[in-house]
PDB file of all heavy atoms in Angstrom:
ATOM      1  N   SER A 331      -0.912  17.375  18.852  1.00 93.00           N
ATOM      2  CA  SER A 331      -0.684  18.467  17.832  1.00 93.00           C
ATOM      3  C   SER A 331       0.483  18.104  16.876  1.00 93.00           C
ATOM      4  O   SER A 331       1.441  17.456  17.381  1.00 93.00           O
ATOM      5  CB  SER A 331      -0.516  19.804  18.572  1.00 93.00           C
ATOM      6  OG  SER A 331      -1.536  20.124  19.278  1.00 93.00           O
ATOM      7  N   THR A 332       0.360  18.440  15.682  1.00 92.00           N
ATOM      8  CA  THR A 332       1.413  18.261  14.672  1.00 92.00           C
ATOM      9  C   THR A 332       1.739  19.445  13.992  1.00 92.00           C
ATOM     10  O   THR A 332       1.108  20.531  14.240  1.00 92.00           O
ATOM     11  CB  THR A 332       1.032  17.154  13.679  1.00 92.00           C
ATOM     12  OG1 THR A 332       0.044  17.874  12.788  1.00 92.00           O
ATOM     13  CG2 THR A 332       0.330  16.011  14.270  1.00 92.00           C
ATOM     14  N   LYS A 333       2.717  19.431  13.110  1.00 93.00           N
ATOM     15  CA  LYS A 333       3.113  20.658  12.318  1.00 93.00           C
ATOM     16  C   LYS A 333       1.929  21.045  11.443  1.00 93.00           C
ATOM     17  O   LYS A 333       1.877  22.187  11.009  1.00 93.00           O
ATOM     18  CB  LYS A 333       4.351  20.385  11.435  1.00 93.00           C
ATOM     19  CG  LYS A 333       4.143  19.300  10.449  1.00 93.00           C
ATOM     20  CD  LYS A 333       5.440  19.123   9.670  1.00 93.00           C
ATOM     21  CE  LYS A 333       5.387  18.048   8.669  1.00 93.00           C
ATOM     22  NZ  LYS A 333       4.273  18.344   7.568  1.00 93.00           N
ATOM     23  N   ASP A 334       0.918  20.195  11.209  1.00 92.00           N
ATOM     24  CA  ASP A 334      -0.192  20.649  10.400  1.00 92.00           C
ATOM     25  C   ASP A 334      -1.397  21.213  11.166  1.00 92.00           C
ATOM     26  O   ASP A 334      -2.348  21.702  10.563  1.00 92.00           O
ATOM     27  CB  ASP A 334      -0.692  19.362   9.661  1.00 92.00           C
ATOM     28  CG  ASP A 334       0.334  18.657   8.806  1.00 92.00           C
ATOM     29  OD1 ASP A 334       1.040  19.390   8.072  1.00 92.00           O
ATOM     30  OD2 ASP A 334       0.552  17.502   8.921  1.00 92.00           O
ATOM     31  N   THR A 335      -1.347  21.147  12.532  1.00 94.00           N
ATOM     32  CA  THR A 335      -2.379  21.626  13.332  1.00 94.00           C
ATOM     33  C   THR A 335      -2.647  23.132  13.122  1.00 94.00           C
ATOM     34  O   THR A 335      -1.776  23.860  13.191  1.00 94.00           O
ATOM     35  CB  THR A 335      -2.119  21.329  14.836  1.00 94.00           C
ATOM     36  OG1 THR A 335      -1.969  19.904  15.014  1.00 94.00           O
ATOM     37  CG2 THR A 335      -3.272  21.868  15.655  1.00 94.00           C
ATOM     38  N   LYS A 336      -3.951  23.480  12.804  1.00 94.00           N
ATOM     39  CA  LYS A 336      -4.197  24.813  12.702  1.00 94.00           C
ATOM     40  C   LYS A 336      -5.758  25.059  12.830  1.00 94.00           C
ATOM     41  O   LYS A 336      -6.549  24.137  12.863  1.00 94.00           O
ATOM     42  CB  LYS A 336      -3.862  25.276  11.308  1.00 94.00           C
ATOM     43  CG  LYS A 336      -4.512  24.451  10.189  1.00 94.00           C
ATOM     44  CD  LYS A 336      -4.066  24.872   8.738  1.00 94.00           C
ATOM     45  CE  LYS A 336      -4.704  23.978   7.708  1.00 94.00           C
ATOM     46  NZ  LYS A 336      -4.102  24.309   6.405  1.00 94.00           N
ATOM     47  N   GLY A 337      -6.155  26.328  13.084  1.00 92.00           N
ATOM     48  CA  GLY A 337      -7.492  26.705  13.138  1.00 92.00           C
ATOM     49  C   GLY A 337      -8.151  26.428  14.559  1.00 92.00           C
ATOM     50  O   GLY A 337      -7.444  25.955  15.435  1.00 92.00           O
ATOM     51  N   PRO A 338      -9.389  26.674  14.678  1.00 92.00           N
ATOM     52  CA  PRO A 338     -10.220  26.466  15.932  1.00 92.00           C
ATOM     53  C   PRO A 338     -10.489  24.972  15.977  1.00 92.00           C
ATOM     54  O   PRO A 338     -10.313  24.206  15.286  1.00 92.00           O
ATOM     55  CB  PRO A 338     -11.364  27.344  15.703  1.00 92.00           C
ATOM     56  CG  PRO A 338     -11.730  27.248  14.279  1.00 92.00           C
ATOM     57  CD  PRO A 338     -10.253  27.268  13.651  1.00 92.00           C
ATOM     58  N   LEU A 339     -10.976  24.701  17.380  1.00 93.00           N
ATOM     59  CA  LEU A 339     -11.412  23.445  17.598  1.00 93.00           C
ATOM     60  C   LEU A 339     -12.719  23.175  16.819  1.00 93.00           C
ATOM     61  O   LEU A 339     -13.472  24.071  16.456  1.00 93.00           O
ATOM     62  CB  LEU A 339     -11.841  23.268  19.079  1.00 93.00           C
ATOM     63  CG  LEU A 339     -10.732  23.079  20.107  1.00 93.00           C
ATOM     64  CD1 LEU A 339     -11.173  23.246  21.502  1.00 93.00           C
ATOM     65  CD2 LEU A 339     -10.171  21.725  19.914  1.00 93.00           C
ATOM     66  N   ALA A 340     -13.047  21.910  16.534  1.00 93.00           N
ATOM     67  CA  ALA A 340     -14.309  21.421  15.894  1.00 93.00           C
ATOM     68  C   ALA A 340     -15.417  21.845  16.842  1.00 93.00           C
ATOM     69  O   ALA A 340     -15.308  21.789  18.068  1.00 93.00           O
ATOM     70  CB  ALA A 340     -14.251  20.048  15.549  1.00 93.00           C
ATOM     71  N   ARG A 341     -16.509  22.282  16.247  1.00 91.00           N
ATOM     72  CA  ARG A 341     -17.748  22.527  17.034  1.00 91.00           C
ATOM     73  C   ARG A 341     -18.905  21.952  16.410  1.00 91.00           C
ATOM     74  O   ARG A 341     -18.821  21.474  15.286  1.00 91.00           O
ATOM     75  CB  ARG A 341     -17.849  24.067  17.255  1.00 91.00           C
ATOM     76  CG  ARG A 341     -17.940  24.864  15.852  1.00 91.00           C
ATOM     77  CD  ARG A 341     -17.975  26.414  16.051  1.00 91.00           C
ATOM     78  NE  ARG A 341     -18.176  27.109  14.881  1.00 91.00           N
ATOM     79  CZ  ARG A 341     -18.078  28.362  14.790  1.00 91.00           C
ATOM     80  NH1 ARG A 341     -17.978  29.121  15.978  1.00 91.00           N
ATOM     81  NH2 ARG A 341     -18.189  29.052  13.654  1.00 91.00           N
ATOM     82  N   GLN A 342     -20.079  21.935  17.051  1.00 89.00           N
ATOM     83  CA  GLN A 342     -21.292  21.468  16.607  1.00 89.00           C
ATOM     84  C   GLN A 342     -21.595  21.983  15.157  1.00 89.00           C
ATOM     85  O   GLN A 342     -21.569  23.150  14.952  1.00 89.00           O
ATOM     86  CB  GLN A 342     -22.364  21.847  17.542  1.00 89.00           C
ATOM     87  CG  GLN A 342     -23.742  21.226  17.286  1.00 89.00           C
ATOM     88  CD  GLN A 342     -23.700  19.720  17.602  1.00 89.00           C
ATOM     89  OE1 GLN A 342     -23.001  19.424  18.581  1.00 89.00           O
ATOM     90  NE2 GLN A 342     -24.474  18.879  16.928  1.00 89.00           N
ATOM     91  N   GLY A 343     -21.947  21.134  14.247  1.00 90.00           N
ATOM     92  CA  GLY A 343     -22.243  21.373  12.936  1.00 90.00           C
ATOM     93  C   GLY A 343     -21.018  21.307  11.994  1.00 90.00           C
ATOM     94  O   GLY A 343     -21.233  21.240  10.789  1.00 90.00           O
ATOM     95  N   ASN A 344     -19.876  21.217  12.535  1.00 95.00           N
ATOM     96  CA  ASN A 344     -18.592  20.958  11.761  1.00 95.00           C
ATOM     97  C   ASN A 344     -18.540  19.536  11.307  1.00 95.00           C
ATOM     98  O   ASN A 344     -19.098  18.621  11.924  1.00 95.00           O
ATOM     99  CB  ASN A 344     -17.398  21.369  12.493  1.00 95.00           C
ATOM    100  CG  ASN A 344     -17.237  22.853  12.753  1.00 95.00           C
ATOM    101  OD1 ASN A 344     -16.304  23.338  13.398  1.00 95.00           O
ATOM    102  ND2 ASN A 344     -18.087  23.692  12.173  1.00 95.00           N
ATOM    103  N   VAL A 345     -17.774  19.290  10.341  1.00 95.00           N
ATOM    104  CA  VAL A 345     -17.514  17.927   9.832  1.00 95.00           C
ATOM    105  C   VAL A 345     -16.039  17.692   9.589  1.00 95.00           C
ATOM    106  O   VAL A 345     -15.314  18.482   9.034  1.00 95.00           O
ATOM    107  CB  VAL A 345     -18.232  17.596   8.425  1.00 95.00           C
ATOM    108  CG1 VAL A 345     -17.934  16.234   7.933  1.00 95.00           C
ATOM    109  CG2 VAL A 345     -19.798  17.795   8.594  1.00 95.00           C
TER     110      VAL A 345
END
Side-chain angles (χ1 to χ4, degrees):
S331 296
T332 72
K333 62 182 180 61
D334 303 309
T335 298
K336 58 186 177 183
L339 281 172
R341 58 185 181 183
Q342 188 73 29
N344 290 173
V345 178

